Amino acid sequence: MREAMRTLAHISDLHFGRIDPPVAAGLTIELQRLAPNLIVASGDFTQRARASQYREARAFLDQLPQPVLAIPGNHDIPLYDVFRRFFFPLSNYRKHITRDLRPVYQDEEMLVIGVNTARSFTASFDGFWKDGAISPEQLLDIELQARDTPEHLVKILVTHHPFIPPPGERVHGIVRGATEAMIKLEQHGIDLLLAGHLHMGYSGDVRTHFEATKRSMLSIQAGTATSTRRRSEPNAYNWISVEQNRVTIEVREWRGQAFATRTTRTFNRLPDGWT
Ligand SMILES: [Fe+2]
Ligand SMILES: [Fe+2]
């Protein structure tokens, strides 16, 4: 049973251009030492989507153990360069991080699907510019990926924008289309949702936020791994151990010299969900 366990390092919101260099160096050392089965990087690689910031992010990624599954965040689209923002929003991302905007990782234990929720057109009446979206086409894509996957695989969806807000907070920052998405993700048998964006680490069952959802899906949020734009939390990332019926989330936070475990939460899959 133990050998069926997979380890996953969930890093997010690196924000090259505004990073704390000792933290980035410490994270590289830690991930090289721990060598997870997969590193998930859930967006905001840069602060302003500049080529120089992307080059720094690329140099950082090159030092990490592979494979790395990456998706972009809202900061990976230029904000002030309006021409690029609307016509070539992810040109630098594609050049320096990856050309693959629909990344998928699969092994004998888990299926991990990355979805790009960053959008150029976000100043709409129903959302603030930095809140991303998930589209019907992307949900169809997820369905096609998940459909032919063996039942026992743990199915993990990675987005930049979260599906549930931090405990006790209002709805801000939630991905647009989340309510519609929940219906589909439930049908497609998704088990875990990994995201970032809010620079706060927390986790919970989506059913606490979506009353219509029957399926228990765990939403796991990572803080900012390396950015100085911290929201009253130290830099941190999630070390996630995945088994078919058990998920353990260790929040590893920066303590000035090295990363150390802040909290460990274990969820067991029981008939009524992840508890
Ligand atoms: Fe961010
Ligand atoms: Fe973000």
Side-chain angles (χ1 to χ4, degrees), residues 13 44 74-75 160 197:
D13 297 81
D44 281 359
N74 52 300
H75 278 261
H160 177 63
H197 183 57

Side-chain angles (χ1 to χ4, degrees), residues 105-175:
Y105 168 91
Q106 187 180 340
D107 62 23
E108 299 75 35
E109 301 300 325
M110 61 183 184
L111 170 72
V112 187
I113 305 168
V115 170
N116 168 24
T117 55
R119 296 290 185 271
S120 304
F121 294 89
T122 43
S124 62
F125 58 91
D126 61 344
F128 188 49
W129 72 272
K130 63 185 179 167
D131 295 341
I134 187 160
S135 69
E137 294 75 21
Q138 290 176 314
L139 291 169
L140 183 62
D141 224 19
I142 295 164
E143 178 179 2
L144 296 176
Q145 293 293 346
R147 193 172 58 185
D148 301 322
T149 314
E151 183 80 20
H152 71 272
L153 264 64
V154 177
K155 296 178 185 70
I156 304 171
L157 182 71
V158 185
T159 59
H160 177 63
H161 297 84
F163 283 89
I164 63 171
E169 273 207 26
R170 57 202 186 89
V171 191
H172 110 114
I174 298 305
V175 65

Side-chain angles (χ1 to χ4, degrees), residues 16 20 87 109 184 194 196 204 211 231 269 272:
F16 278 87
D20 206 338
F87 295 101
E109 301 300 325
K184 298 291 180 186
L194 271 48
E211 281 166 20
R231 281 187 64 184
R269 199 201 314 249
D272 58 340

Side-chain angles (χ1 to χ4, degrees), residues 26-36 65 237 239 252 258-259:
L27 184 58
T28 305
I29 292 166
E30 162 124 335
L31 294 178
Q32 285 171 349
R33 180 173 63 81
L34 296 176
Y237 77 97
W239 181 263
R252 301 274 297 165
F259 282 88

